[in-house]
C-alpha cells in the first residue's frame, strides 16, 4: 500500500472522501460473498475490503496535523477489544452470550461518556432499513415505543418479512412514493421523539 500510495499518480491524489464510494461498494461485495458466494469469493472480497482500510490508513499517515498509520489503527482496535472482553482478558465472568453483551455494553458506555443521547454515534449514512433497525433498538432503550404491525398480519419468518417489505415497496412504487425517503423521514420523527423523551427523563 505504501508503494502504491507513493508511486501511483491516481492513488496519490485520492482522499478519504474519494474512497467512501469504494468502501461502501466493497462492503456490499463482502455481504454478497457471505450470502451467495464461494469461499474463494469471500477470501477475495475480504482482501478488497482490507485494502480500503490500508488505503485510508496510508492517507491518514500523510496528514500534517494528526497523522496515524495502520499500526496505530490496529493498536487502537486491540485496546478496544481487550476493554470490551473483560471475560477473556481480565477476571470478569461470562458464561452466556447475554452476559458477554452486558460486559460489552458496559465497556462501550464507559468509553462513550461524552455522549448525551442514545442516538449519538449512530451513522446517518446507513441504508434506511438498517438505520431503522438500529434506531428502533436505541429508541426502546430510551423507553420510546413504536406501533407494531397488526399481529394477524405479522410475518412469522424472515422470508415472510421479505415478502411484506417487497409488497410495501411495490405499494410505494404504484403510488409514485419514494420508499427510501418515506422511511428516512419517519426515522427523523422517531429521533425527535427519542430526544424529547430523553430531555424529559
Amino acid at each position: 500500500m505504501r508503494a502504491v500510495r507513493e508511486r501511483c499518480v491516481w492513488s496519490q491524489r485520492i482522499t478519504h472522501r474519494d474512497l467512501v464510494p469504494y468502501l461502501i461498494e466493497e462492503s456490499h461485495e463482502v455481504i454478497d460473498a457471505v450470502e451467495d458466494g464461494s469461499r474463494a469469493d469471500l477470501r477475495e472480497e475480504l482482501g478488497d475490503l482490507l485494502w480500503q482500510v490500508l488505503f485510508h490508513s496510508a492517507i491518514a499517515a500523510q496528514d500534517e496535523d494528526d497523522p496515524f498509520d495502520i499500526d496505530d489503527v490496529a493498536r487502537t482496535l486491540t485496546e478496544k477489544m481487550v476493554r470490551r472482553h473483560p471475560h477473556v482478558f481480565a477476571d470478569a465472568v461470562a458464561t452466556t452470550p447475554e452476559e458477554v453483551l452486558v460486559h460489552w455494553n458496559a465497556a462501550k458506555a464507559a468509553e462513550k461518556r461524552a455522549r448525551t443521547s442514545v442516538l449519538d454515534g449512530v451513522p446517518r449514512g446507513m441504508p434506511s432499513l438498517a438505520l431503522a433497525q438500529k434506531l428502533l433498538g436505541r429508541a426502546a432503550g430510551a423507553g420510546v415505543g413504536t406501533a407494531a404491525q397488526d399481529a394477524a398480519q405479522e410475518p412469522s419468518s424472515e422470508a415472510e418479512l421479505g415478502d411484506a417489505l417487497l409488497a410495501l415497496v411495490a405499494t410505494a412504487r404504484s403510488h409514485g412514493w419514494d420508499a427510501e425517503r418515506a422511511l428516512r423521514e419517519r426515522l427523523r420523527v422517531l429521533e425527535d421523539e427519542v430526544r424529547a423523551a430523553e430531555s424529559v427523563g
Side-chain angles (χ1 to χ4, degrees), residues 37-80:
S38 67
R39 298 287 292 170
D41 294 333
L42 180 57
R43 183 171 58 247
E44 178 182 354
E45 299 306 339
L46 285 171
D48 290 346
L49 186 58
L50 177 59
W51 183 256
Q52 294 301 306
V53 175
L54 294 169
F55 208 152
H56 277 285
S57 298
I59 294 168
Q62 295 175 328
D63 186 276
E64 293 180 6
D65 299 322
D66 187 16
F68 62 84
D69 62 16
I70 190 64
D71 292 329
D72 298 314
V73 171
R75 188 177 307 106
T76 300
L77 174 62
T78 299
E79 291 167 357
K80 180 194 290 186

Side-chain angles (χ1 to χ4, degrees), residues 166-179 181-182:
L166 187 59
L168 284 173
V169 173
T171 298
R173 186 173 178 275
S174 70
H175 286 281
W177 300 332
D178 184 321
R181 183 175 59 232

Side-chain angles (χ1 to χ4, degrees), residues 145-185:
T146 57
Q149 188 176 5
D150 181 359
Q153 301 174 0
E154 187 174 306
S156 60
S157 68
E158 279 195 5
E160 288 183 12
L161 176 62
D163 290 341
L165 290 170
L166 187 59
L168 284 173
V169 173
T171 298
R173 186 173 178 275
S174 70
H175 286 281
W177 300 332
D178 184 321
E180 177 79 13
R181 183 175 59 232
L183 182 53
R184 284 200 172 274
E185 288 178 356

